[in-house]
Amino acid sequence: MANNSMKNIFARAQARIPGGVNSPVRSWKMVGGDPKIIAHGQGAYILDWEGHRYIDYVGSWGPLILGHAQAQVVAAAKQAIEGGMSFGAPTEAEVELAELVHDYFPAIEKLRLVSSGTEATMSAIRLARAYTRRSKIVKFDGCYHGHVDSLLVRAGSGLATLALPDTPGVPENFTKDTLVIPYNDVAQLESLMSTHSETIAAVIIEPVCGNMGVIPPRLDYLAAVRKVTAKHGAVLIFDEVITGFRVARGGAQELYGVTPDLTCLGKVLGGGLPVGAFGGQQVIMDLLAPLGPVYQAGTLSGNPVTVAAGLATLKVLGSDGVYEDLEAKGQYLEEALIQVLKRWRLRGTVNRVGSMLTLFFGVDSVTHAEEARRCDQQRFARFFHRMIACGIYYPPSPFEAAFISLAHSQADLEQTVHCFEEWAQSECDG
Ligand code: PLP
């Protein structure tokens, strides 16, 4: 039995897997302690190896908008598995998926599936460079677009968590064409675009930042980004790997009414299986091989099991009232958390768009990465551990979004607020 304790499993993990995890933010480096070893997920809950149940706000970092092991998704994936797991040849289901994505995202005239969000952004950038015949890329401080070499500059997510401004292993040459400016600042973007007008291939942005915690765009910010990129002939890439199908059926572009040239998708699109996708204007997408000269490929791209899980997920999301329900849950949680902060005079703020939300402690507002970095990380660590002890699994970093799913019940949300209140009270007395 001892050999099967979580402590033991994690010790084994550390011996054979760097840091014991297959993606850095899964470690609890930011908050201290060993991560829980997860055994099961069902609906809004995960169970660890020792049988403790948690209300889960990580949701596999965004994909599980329907909750864990949702019945239709499981049935679709099982059926697909039984029909053969991969062909490396066209299938009807992948066509149906591309058509459905187009229904939800009219700007995605053509779509190509890949196996991760990282591949999606990497491919979109290659395409944008080929289309414009320019080389420079603009990204925003704190926005994370996967671990593409050229985009690992002032990225958020695990890099924010680990306070790595950059990473060894990426030659300077690879990032020399990447320009970084603050998010939510139109003047800086306009000035940068004017200075480098003829050389900027693309501007890539998380339309709602989710990797410095949630940071919503200011009013009209995305429209301004659209205007200035069009003016200078740069391709506007919305990285909707998190926000796609999350903040609205048609992502942030639907919510804010701003149309990019290219969109990157991932997470929800795969229903919990590995996926990514990029798509947009036909005139750009048709540059891809085999139609055009831009090479891009993938052995498991359009994998039938992923496609089946994704289609099942997207179909559920097509039902009436889904996004109203997610909004109501998000609004309840946001307001209740803010009330608790006020009641116990804890300085902090909650940023939220729909069902993605972040609690920042020690700051009054967060509109860009620098402000996020000023949050109280020690208080966050205390909060995190108390929530875990109370059966609430919040992301183990202050710089991540917490995700609410359709499976979260009102009772789950109330239990979460109750745990938060108990912690806040103890924090106030302490
Ligand atoms: N883009 C955004 C906005 C993301 O949040 C992520 C991952 O969290 C990625 C891209 C990379 O996706 P993946 O982890 O599937 O490579």
Side-chain angles (χ1 to χ4, degrees):
M1 187 62 196
N3 279 347
N4 262 338
S5 70
M6 287 199 282
K7 202 170 167 39
N8 230 286
I9 294 172
F10 195 59
R12 279 169 51 210
Q14 284 171 301
R16 290 286 167 241
I17 301 171
V21 290
N22 279 311
S23 197
V25 82
R26 292 178 199 178
S27 77
W28 287 8
K29 192 163 175 154
M30 192 74 203
V31 290
D34 289 353
K36 302 293 177 195
I37 308 295
I38 304 304
H40 297 288
Q42 187 63 59
Y45 312 116
I46 49 176
L47 266 83
D48 71 21
W49 191 256
E50 291 167 2
H52 305 114
R53 193 184 85 162
Y54 306 90
I55 301 172
D56 180 24
Y57 290 97
V58 173
S60 190
W61 302 96
L64 300 180
I65 195 165
L66 307 184
H68 292 269
Q70 198 271 355
Q72 284 132 290
V73 180
V74 170
K78 270 188 180 162
Q79 198 185 359
I81 285 178
E82 283 165 6
M85 282 193 248
S86 181
F87 311 118
T91 64
E92 197 270 338
E94 68 187 3
V95 183
E96 194 186 341
L97 185 61
E99 288 167 349
L100 192 55
V101 169
H102 174 65
D103 285 350
Y104 293 178
F105 288 75
I108 302 186
E109 295 168 1
K110 286 199 173 173
L111 177 83
R112 183 158 279 178
L113 292 174
V114 291
S115 299
S116 68
T118 298
E119 279 181 75
T121 59
M122 179 184 77
S123 307
I125 279 176
R126 183 181 307 148
L127 193 54
R129 283 178 162 150
Y131 177 69
T132 55
R133 297 168 193 257
R134 300 172 178 179
S135 55
K136 291 199 189 306
I137 300 293
V138 177
K139 80 174 282 291
F140 297 87
D141 184 11
C143 284
Y144 175 69
H145 304 289
H147 61 101
V148 180
D149 281 346
S150 63
L151 295 175
L152 283 177
V153 185
R154 294 192 79 74
S157 193
L159 288 143
T161 303
L162 298 171
L164 299 176
D166 220 324
T167 168
V170 176
E172 266 173 39
N173 241 1
F174 287 31
T175 53
K176 74 175 183 359
D177 285 327
T178 308
L179 307 169
V180 186
I181 51 170
Y183 181 76
N184 261 335
D185 186 332
V186 177
Q188 288 215 38
L189 179 63
E190 277 172 347
S191 141
L192 185 82
M193 295 295 292
S194 303
T195 310
H196 298 277
S197 184
E198 298 295 299
T199 54
I200 292 177
V203 172
I204 183 165
I205 187 166
E206 284 184 79
V208 175
C209 191
N211 284 291
M212 279 308 289
V214 174
I215 305 183
R218 283 192 218 273
L219 186 69
D220 295 335
Y221 175 63
L222 295 174
V225 173
R226 174 66 285 185
K227 201 166 151 203
V228 70
T229 45
K231 178 174 161 201
H232 294 282
V235 173
L236 176 59
I237 306 172
F238 271 11
D239 179 350
E240 298 229 39
V241 166
I242 289 182
T243 54
F245 315 104
R246 165 64 63 182
V247 297
R249 201 168 285 131
Q253 51 199 271
E254 175 189 316
L255 187 65
Y256 296 100
V258 176
T259 306
D261 302 306
L262 293 177
T263 301
C264 298
L265 296 170
K267 300 201 187 252
V268 172
L269 177 66
L273 293 176
V275 81
F278 64 103
Q281 287 177 28
Q282 174 165 348
V283 47
I284 306 179
M285 292 301 288
D286 280 353
L287 284 179
L288 284 175
L291 275 187
V294 181
Y295 193 69
Q296 186 282 327
T299 301
L300 293 175
S301 296
N303 174 265
V305 186
T306 299
V307 167
L311 261 177
T313 303
L314 265 45
K315 283 179 184 167
V316 174
L317 294 177
S319 321
D320 286 344
V322 162
Y323 288 91
E324 288 78 357
D325 188 14
L326 287 168
E327 171 62 26
K329 287 174 176 164
Q331 192 180 350
Y332 169 80
L333 198 57
E334 175 189 353
E335 286 172 2
L337 295 177
I338 287 175
Q339 270 174 24
V340 171
L341 286 174
K342 282 202 180 129
R343 199 153 37 241
W344 298 101
R345 295 203 175 74
L346 291 182
R347 191 171 171 206
T349 190
V350 178
N351 276 1
R352 177 184 71 90
V353 178
S355 56
M356 53 191 282
L357 146 167
T358 298
L359 254 165
F360 291 102
F361 296 116
V363 286
D364 298 321
S365 86
V366 175
T367 60
H368 55 76
E370 273 308 316
E371 285 174 342
R373 291 188 189 106
R374 277 183 224 138
C375 72
D376 185 338
Q377 300 183 27
Q378 278 80 34
R379 175 161 278 174
F380 178 85
R382 292 196 295 276
F383 151 79
F384 172 80
H385 284 291
R386 265 300 281 274
M387 295 301 269
I388 284 287
C390 198
I392 311 293
Y393 196 90
Y394 189 92
S397 156
F399 304 119
E400 299 289 348
F403 294 104
I404 302 165
S405 75
L406 285 170
H408 285 86
S409 66
Q410 181 62 21
D412 294 329
L413 302 179
E414 284 170 13
Q415 172 63 13
T416 307
V417 174
H418 171 73
C419 292
F420 184 58
E421 176 116 42
E422 279 188 349
W423 169 76
Q425 184 175 4
S426 72
E427 191 75 4
C428 184
D429 293 336

